[in-house]
Structure formats: C-alpha cells, structure tokens
Amino acid sequence: MKTLTVFAISAWLGMLGFLAAVVAPAAFGVLDRPAAGRLIAWVMPRYHWAALGLGVLGLAGMVLRPGEMAGGWVNRLPLVLVLVMLALTALSLFLLLPQIEGLREAVLAERAPGHAGSPEGARFGRLDSLSR
C-alpha cells in the first residue's frame, strides 16, 4: 500500500508541476491568447479529474495501510495534507472552474469595441489568479 500512496501522490504533484511549468507557459508563449485560453480551458477539468483520482488512490493507500492512523499528529500530517489537497482540488473543479468559464465567455463576448474594463473582466482575473 505504501507504493500505491507514493506513486499516486508523486504522479499528482508531478502532473501539477508539469502543467504549471510547461503546459501553461508553452500554450501562452506559442499560441495567441484566445487559442491558449481555449487549450487551458480544455486541459484544466481533465487535470482536476485526474488529480482527484490520484488523490483518492493516495488516500486509500494511506488509510488501508496498517498502523498509518496510529501515533501522534506528526504521523497523521501526510493524511491531513492529502485531505487538504483533495478539498482544494474539488473546490477548484466544482466552484472556480465553472465560474471562470462563465466569465471567460462573458469577457470574450464583451471584447467587442467599446467594452473595455468590464467588471466581469476584473472578476475573471481575480478567479483566474486563485486557480493557479
């Protein structure tokens, strides 16, 4: 079970690092901004679902391993951290991403001449920075 836990959490963190360090910068560095936004909008839900799956696998490996729940708070810290990561991933998937997508559509619709500086654009920027 320890191997399952280590694999799942390592894959999750590696996927997160690859997305942040390679995929997003490459998308916005190579593609025009609207195309890069569409690419990232397509990737993010899939990343979150994969992250939830890997997090649940890691959590299962921790819970099912004998002696994992014994001991003091230091022994339980990895379990707490995985639960926090799962909660934040679920929050991002189910609350932030739908709001960002709705605002992205509103901002794209308002990018017509004469609609600069909309409140939706400012809100999109705040939510986008939260999701990173």
Side-chain angles (χ1 to χ4, degrees):
M1 285 295 168
K2 186 172 186 171
T3 304
L4 173 67
T5 301
V6 170
F7 167 77
I9 302 303
S10 298
W12 185 4
L13 293 174
M15 195 170 57
L16 173 63
F18 185 74
L19 179 69
V22 177
V23 175
F28 284 98
V30 173
L31 301 172
D32 61 5
R33 193 162 182 85
R38 286 191 307 274
L39 174 65
I40 297 300
W42 184 86
V43 168
M44 289 305 286
R46 287 154 182 82
Y47 157 75
H48 281 79
W49 281 111
L52 285 176
L54 289 169
V56 168
L57 275 177
L59 182 64
M62 295 172 104
V63 170
L64 297 176
R65 193 167 57 217
E68 182 66 28
M69 300 307 218
W73 69 271
V74 173
N75 293 338
R76 293 189 186 123
L77 185 60
L79 178 67
V80 170
L81 292 175
V82 168
L83 288 171
V84 168
M85 288 173 60
L86 277 169
L88 291 173
T89 301
L91 175 77
S92 181
L93 176 63
F94 297 118
L95 293 177
L96 285 179
L97 287 181
Q99 288 183 33
I100 288 171
E101 183 60 27
L103 288 170
R104 186 174 75 81
E105 294 299 325
V107 166
L108 288 176
E110 290 190 4
R111 288 236 168 126
H115 286 92
S118 69
E120 289 85 3
R123 186 164 177 236
F124 173 80
R126 285 191 304 272
L127 287 173
D128 182 50
S129 67
L130 277 175
S131 72
R132 293 180 192 191

